Amino acid sequence: TLIWQLSDYANKNYTVTEPGGLTFSQEASGNFLATENGTYTVTVLDEDYGGSNTASVTVDKLDLTAPTVAVSGVPTGWEESAQSITLTPTDSQSGVGEAYYKVVASRDEIPTEGLSVLNPAGQTVTISQDGVWYVYYKVYDKAGDNTAQTQREGNWTEGFAGPIRIDTKEPVLMVSGQTTGVSKEQGLQLTVKAEYGISGGQTTVNGSEIKELTETADPSGTGSTKEAAYTVSQKGTYVFV
């Protein structure tokens, strides 16, 4: 807010014009809001003699633009080891102020508790637990100060980096049953059982997928087991993967 104040105005007829064209008659003081950087000029006109005077002030410290956050290191698919995500906040005007982050399992809700402080200069966040994760971030600039004179929250930006998909569990494949001693018509009855991590998977025999597998989710939510009966009716070598 910019304030103007006249002097030597007693017993005179005058009009004051503020930036934007708003005029006042016989007002000795007033104020207006500077909404952007620039030069603001107030003009006073003597209505009796036609003389005028101006006063100008230049505002160059307004920051109305939110900071930005660059994200790097987000994998495009499933990874079998811990992943490191880098968050780099920037603000070209007032600079980066307070910054926070939190690793979450969903982007459906904005977290408001349990946030960690993010280094304003940038920080790498490492995620090692199996699952699908997102890194929530919220970054302020220095334009606001709730503890001082401005009493205005700074510009801010928030978002999610991800998804970050991690599955460190190696799949386990088990094939059991007879390998000899039955007729061709009867066939060898095998049981195929595969245990996968959270990313899931498929089981093949000699390159062809076994689609009859029945899937059972792990109660812990970290994987699944697929099982099926498989009949071998031709002599040969069968490779299960």
Side-chain angles (χ1 to χ4, degrees):
T1 300
L2 302 180
I3 300 173
W4 54 268
Q5 174 72 53
L6 298 183
S7 60
D8 192 25
Y9 58 87
N11 301 317
K12 295 180 180 179
N13 295 316
Y14 56 87
T15 300
V16 177
T17 303
E18 290 183 348
L22 190 61
T23 60
F24 301 89
S25 296
Q26 304 305 115
E27 294 288 342
S29 63
N31 62 79
F32 58 91
L33 186 65
T35 58
E36 59 185 15
N37 292 320
T39 299
Y40 294 84
T41 300
V42 176
T43 302
V44 58
L45 174 66
D46 187 322
E47 298 288 0
D48 294 327
Y49 298 99
S52 65
N53 203 353
T54 62
S56 299
V57 61
T58 298
V59 175
D60 59 4
K61 301 299 183 184
L62 287 180
D63 180 358
L64 304 177
T65 304
T68 60
V69 178
V71 178
S72 61
V74 176
T76 57
W78 285 96
E79 298 293 335
E80 60 183 15
S81 60
Q83 298 297 299
S84 295
I85 311 303
T86 300
L87 304 175
T88 307
T90 56
D91 187 272
S92 60
Q93 298 185 48
S94 61
V96 177
E98 298 176 349
Y100 305 93
Y101 77 94
K102 184 178 183 179
V103 178
V104 295
S106 171
R107 57 185 303 166
D108 294 338
E109 295 184 7
I110 300 297
T112 57
E113 298 180 349
L115 276 70
S116 300
V117 174
L118 177 68
N119 187 336
Q123 183 174 334
T124 297
V125 179
T126 299
I127 304 170
S128 58
Q129 185 176 348
D130 286 6
V132 179
W133 307 101
Y134 300 86
V135 180
Y136 167 77
Y137 57 83
K138 188 171 187 178
V139 179
Y140 294 86
D141 63 14
K142 295 180 179 179
D145 185 356
N146 292 329
T147 64
Q149 295 180 357
T150 59
Q151 295 295 310
R152 185 182 75 85
E153 185 179 49
N155 304 304
W156 54 270
T157 188
E158 64 182 350
F160 292 89
I164 301 103
R165 303 179 180 92
I166 300 175
D167 183 358
T168 60
K169 182 179 179 179
E170 292 187 3
V172 177
L173 178 62
M174 295 165 284
V175 180
S176 58
Q178 289 181 272
T179 58
T180 60
V182 296
S183 65
K184 178 179 179 181
E185 290 74 17
Q186 181 181 356
L188 291 173
Q189 300 300 315
L190 304 179
T191 298
V192 181
K193 184 177 181 180
E195 297 178 355
Y196 297 102
I198 193 171
S199 63
Q202 65 179 25
T203 302
T204 64
V205 55
N206 291 350
S208 298
E209 182 181 359
I210 303 175
K211 297 183 179 180
E212 296 79 11
L213 293 170
T214 300
E215 183 172 9
T216 303
D218 190 315
S220 66
T222 59
S224 63
T225 299
K226 293 183 178 182
E227 187 172 350
Y230 186 82
T231 302
V232 176
S233 57
Q234 298 289 335
K235 183 185 296 186
T237 300
Y238 290 81
V239 179
F240 293 85
V241 179

